[in-house]
């Protein structure tokens, strides 16, 4: 179905929604984005996503030409215009058209793009039986080189790890950081369960501050589960009772094997299933 795509305040049919080949978003991956979700036509954690978008922009010295409130309204409007009920929204801001040199100061007019569509990231069967993932040899970007907290248009680090995962027959791959600690997966944050407690790497492990991650942490705390944001190693993953991933598109998805080793019972665990249910109820409330 043809979608109406928002570009700089106007809606255009998807086949006419284009950016220039001189846009530094294309030439250098110079731009930022967000992936959001709508449930029953309402955008989930809209303000949090928009705040992260503006933080990413700030981090790359990109001035978004509209305010955060205007961005929220535009995202809502894109969902309404396309009559999206349960959907996925991509908000993108590029540096805009520039010259063939790097200089961002020579770029004019950042392009603000919002695509409202639907998504099915993983097949239903994977939510029921759990994912098998492998550890990628490619490490997560060093935070001092390109902070993983910036959701930039350059996702090559993640894509290289994803390629390794796919070649091993897995749809996701675990990424370690430069210290050898567990960071996150290519498009999802990671959680472990051990002895009834929930563990997830801290932000200084060099990860994206996942919106879903924070919602799950809050839901777990409310349910009386102790949550620890601490440095984790591959050893912690291998000896965990349960493992799951979180992400806007993925929501909460169990992991049952890592590097061909069964995690816990080798089946989605009880705390994972409980938090998955709590997340669904919260998101659709
Ligand atoms: N890590 C990475 C690298 C991501 O790209 C994403 C988003 N797909 C996540 C984690 C999950 O973040 P969120 O819950 O905000 O979607």
């Amino acid at each position: 179905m043809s979608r109406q795509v928002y570009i700089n305040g106007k809606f255009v049919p998807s086949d006419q929604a284009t950016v220039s080949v001189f846009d530094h978003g294309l030439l250098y991956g110079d731009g930022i984005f967000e992936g959001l979700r709508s449930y029953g036509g309402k955008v989930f954690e809209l303000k949090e996503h928009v705040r992260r978008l503006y933080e990413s922009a700030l981090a790359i010295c990109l001035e978004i030409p509209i305010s955060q409130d205007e961005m929220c309204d535009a995202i809502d409007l894109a969902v309404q215009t396309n009559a999206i009920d349960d959907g996925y929204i991509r908000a993108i801001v590029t540096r805009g058209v520039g010259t063939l040199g790097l200089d961002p100061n020579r770029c004019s007019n950042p392009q603000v793009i919002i695509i409202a569509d639907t998504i099915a990231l993983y097949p239903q069967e994977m939510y029921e039986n759990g994912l098998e993932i492998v550890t990628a040899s490619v490490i997560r970007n060093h935070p001092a080189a390109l902070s993983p907290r910036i959701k930039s248009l350059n996702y090559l680090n993640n894509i290289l790890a994803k390629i390794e995962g796919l070649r091993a027959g897995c749809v996701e791959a675990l990424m370690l950081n430069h210290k050898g600690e567990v960071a996150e997966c290519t498009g999802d944050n990671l959680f472990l369960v051990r002895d009834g407690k929930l563990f997830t790497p801290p932000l200084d492990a060099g990860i994206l501050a996942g919106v879903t991650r924070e919602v799950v942490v809050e839901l777990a705390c409310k349910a009386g589960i102790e949550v620890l944001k601490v440095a984790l190693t591959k050893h912690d993953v291998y000896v965990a009772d349960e493992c799951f991933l979180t992400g806007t598109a993925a929501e909460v998805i169990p992991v049952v094997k890592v590097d061909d080793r069964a995690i816990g019972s080798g089946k989605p665990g009880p705390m994972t299933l409980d938090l998955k249910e709590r997340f669904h109820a919260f998101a659709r409330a």
Side-chain angles (χ1 to χ4, degrees), residues 41-210:
K42 186 174 179 293
V43 182
F44 182 60
E45 300 289 285
L46 176 57
K47 283 207 165 124
E48 287 307 312
H49 279 284
V50 168
R51 183 187 306 164
R52 189 172 66 185
L53 182 74
Y54 280 69
E55 282 180 8
S56 292
L58 205 55
I60 68 161
C61 305
L62 170 61
E63 206 174 315
I64 301 179
I66 57 176
S67 69
Q68 291 199 34
D69 284 346
E70 286 166 336
M71 182 67 78
C72 287
D73 290 347
I75 291 171
D76 273 333
L77 190 59
V79 170
Q80 284 163 27
T81 303
N82 288 285
I84 301 284
D85 198 25
D86 288 350
Y88 180 81
I89 305 107
R90 179 60 57 93
I92 304 153
V93 187
T94 73
R95 186 78 67 181
V97 169
T99 61
L100 290 177
L102 285 179
D103 190 351
N105 295 327
R106 299 182 75 176
C107 295
S108 55
N109 297 330
Q111 299 293 293
V112 180
I113 301 160
I114 303 167
I115 306 165
D117 208 331
T118 52
I119 196 168
L121 192 63
Y122 303 125
Q124 187 54 33
E125 177 263 321
M126 291 188 179
Y127 287 89
E128 281 152 25
N129 302 332
L131 291 182
E132 296 184 15
I133 64 173
V134 286
T135 308
S137 68
V138 168
I139 62 163
R140 195 74 179 92
N141 278 331
H142 192 300
L146 175 58
S147 171
R149 295 195 57 185
I150 303 171
K151 208 163 162 57
S152 87
L153 290 181
N154 190 327
Y155 248 51
L156 270 179
N157 179 219
N158 314 57
I159 289 168
L160 290 177
K162 179 105 180 175
I163 288 170
E164 283 188 48
L166 291 171
R167 289 192 173 179
C170 299
V171 293
E172 251 300 10
L174 174 62
M175 300 184 78
L176 306 179
N177 65 19
H178 61 286
K179 293 184 270 184
E181 299 160 349
V182 170
E184 59 185 334
C185 287
T186 68
D188 300 304
N189 290 114
L190 178 131
F191 282 83
L192 300 177
V193 177
R194 183 89 202 262
D195 296 334
K197 293 179 190 150
L198 194 58
F199 297 82
T200 195
L203 293 186
D204 65 15
I207 60 170
L208 183 75

